[in-house]
Amino acid sequence: MATIAHSLFCFEVLSASLERREHLSLSQVEDLWIRYQTRHQEGSRKGLVEDDQDLGQDLEDGDDLMSDPDQGPEDLSSEEGEEEDDEPPVTEPSAIPSKLRLPSISRLQARSPASASSSSTPSSISASSSRLGLGSGDASKTSSNTSIFSFGRRSQQPSPALREEQYPLFVTWNIISARGHKSLRGCIGTFEAQELSSGLENYALTAAFHDNRFSPIHSAEMPNLANHITLLHSFTPCAHPLDWSLGTHGLRLSFTYHGDRYGATYLPDVAVEQGWTKEETIVSLMRKAGWKGRSRDWRAVGELRAVRYEGKGEGCGWRTWREWRDWVDETAQEGTGKR
C-alpha cells in the first residue's frame, strides 16, 4: 500500500535534483516521518495536559474568590437575581541520476500512433537531463547537508522483507491552483515490478522531467505541486472490455489498428475524476493510445483486450513536505549542536 512517506520521498528526490544535492533515502524518510508524527502527537497531548492544568488553576482561583473571608454576607447577596455562568472557559489546544532505462507509461492525454506503439520501450535518462532548467544550490542547505545525513543515518533501517517489496507503480505530479483546481503536470509509471526505493526515485524524476506531454518541472512550481503514488496489484484479464468496476479498477487496453498494435492505461481514479462512463473511458483510453476512429465504432476494433487491476494511492502536497523537511533540518541542527 502506498503511504504518505512514499510521496514525501518523491518530493525529497525532486527537491534534491532541483537543488543539486544528495537526497535522503526512502528508509530514512519513512523513519523520520514516523518520528515527526510521533513528536507532533506528543506535542498535542502535552498541550492538552497544560490546558487541563491551567483550567484546574483557574477553578482553584475561582474558589478562592468565592470564599474570600473579607467578603461579607451583604456582598454575596448583592448580585442576587443575576445569572452566573459557572462553566469555566475552555481553552482550545494549539494547532499543533546515473543513466536509467525505464519502461515508461504516461497518464490521460493522447499520444501519437508512433509513440503509443512504442510506449513499452525503455527510455534513457541522464543525470544532467534530470536537472533541466535548474539554478545553483542554496549554500546554506548544502552546508547543513552533512548534519542532516548524520541525523538520518541514526534512523532505524527497515526489515529485509520490506526492502525486498516490489510493485508496479505510477508517480503523478499535479499543480494545485489558488482556487484548489488540480491539473496534471506529469504522470509516468511501469507495469514491471520495481523495488520501491529505486522505482519511486526513478519515476519521480521521469514524471517530473520526461513526460513528453509537458515541459520539465522547475523549482518555481514547487509550492504549487502535489504528488500521488499508486502501487498496482491484482492484475486480471477481463472477460470483455466492460468487465471492470468504476472507482475500483484501473484498465489496461491493447488492440490492433491499421496493422499496428496499440496500448494504454488509466489508473483506478481517472474515470471517476473525469466523470466518465465505462464506454467513455474505453473510447478515451483508445484515443490516448492513438486510435482515431469514431466513438461508436470502438467495438469493431481488432483484437481488443483489456486487463483490470487495482491500486491504492496516497499522496501529499508541497506544504506537508516542506513542514516535515523543515522539522528534519531543525532536528538535525539541534542534534549536532549548531543551534
Side-chain angles (χ1 to χ4, degrees), residues 172-177 180-186 214 224-225:
T172 303
W173 295 105
N174 291 303
I175 289 288
I176 309 299
S177 71
H181 176 71
K182 180 174 69 174
S183 57
L184 185 64
R185 191 62 180 82
F214 306 96
N224 299 318
L225 279 182

Side-chain angles (χ1 to χ4, degrees), residues 13 28 67 161 164 172 175 216 241 278 283 288 292 297:
V13 168
Q28 288 171 330
S67 60
E164 293 170 2
T172 303
I175 289 288
K278 287 186 180 181
V283 171
K288 176 186 176 183
K292 300 186 185 301
D297 295 336

Side-chain angles (χ1 to χ4, degrees), residues 124-167:
S124 179
I125 304 169
S126 66
S128 60
S129 66
S130 71
R131 294 172 180 141
L132 293 172
L134 311 182
S136 58
D138 188 299
S140 63
K141 292 177 181 176
T142 303
S143 64
S144 64
N145 215 27
T146 302
S147 62
I148 293 172
F149 278 89
S150 172
F151 169 64
R153 289 189 186 102
R154 298 197 296 271
S155 302
Q156 180 180 355
Q157 295 299 312
S159 67
L162 289 178
R163 284 202 301 270
E164 293 170 2
E165 281 188 333
Q166 296 185 352
Y167 291 92

Side-chain angles (χ1 to χ4, degrees), residues 271-285:
V272 174
E273 286 183 355
Q274 300 299 318
W276 292 334
T277 65
K278 287 186 180 181
E279 288 202 24
E280 289 171 336
T281 302
I282 290 173
V283 171
S284 176
L285 190 50

Side-chain angles (χ1 to χ4, degrees), residues 234-238 250-254 265 305-309:
S234 303
F235 289 82
T236 306
C238 297
L251 193 64
R252 183 181 186 182
L253 284 184
S254 62
T265 190
R305 297 172 184 170
V307 174
R308 65 177 184 258
Y309 58 86

Side-chain angles (χ1 to χ4, degrees), residues 194-250:
Q194 306 284 308
E195 291 186 359
L196 286 182
S197 181
S198 58
L200 290 174
E201 176 181 358
N202 295 340
Y203 283 96
L205 295 178
T206 306
F209 300 132
H210 298 280
D211 188 329
N212 57 21
R213 300 166 295 176
F214 306 96
S215 61
I217 290 175
H218 51 84
S219 57
E221 296 178 279
M222 288 289 286
N224 299 318
L225 279 182
N227 174 268
H228 195 81
I229 307 300
T230 310
L231 304 183
L232 312 181
H233 60 89
S234 303
F235 289 82
T236 306
C238 297
H240 53 82
L242 298 176
D243 181 26
W244 55 282
S245 300
L246 286 166
T248 299
H249 296 116

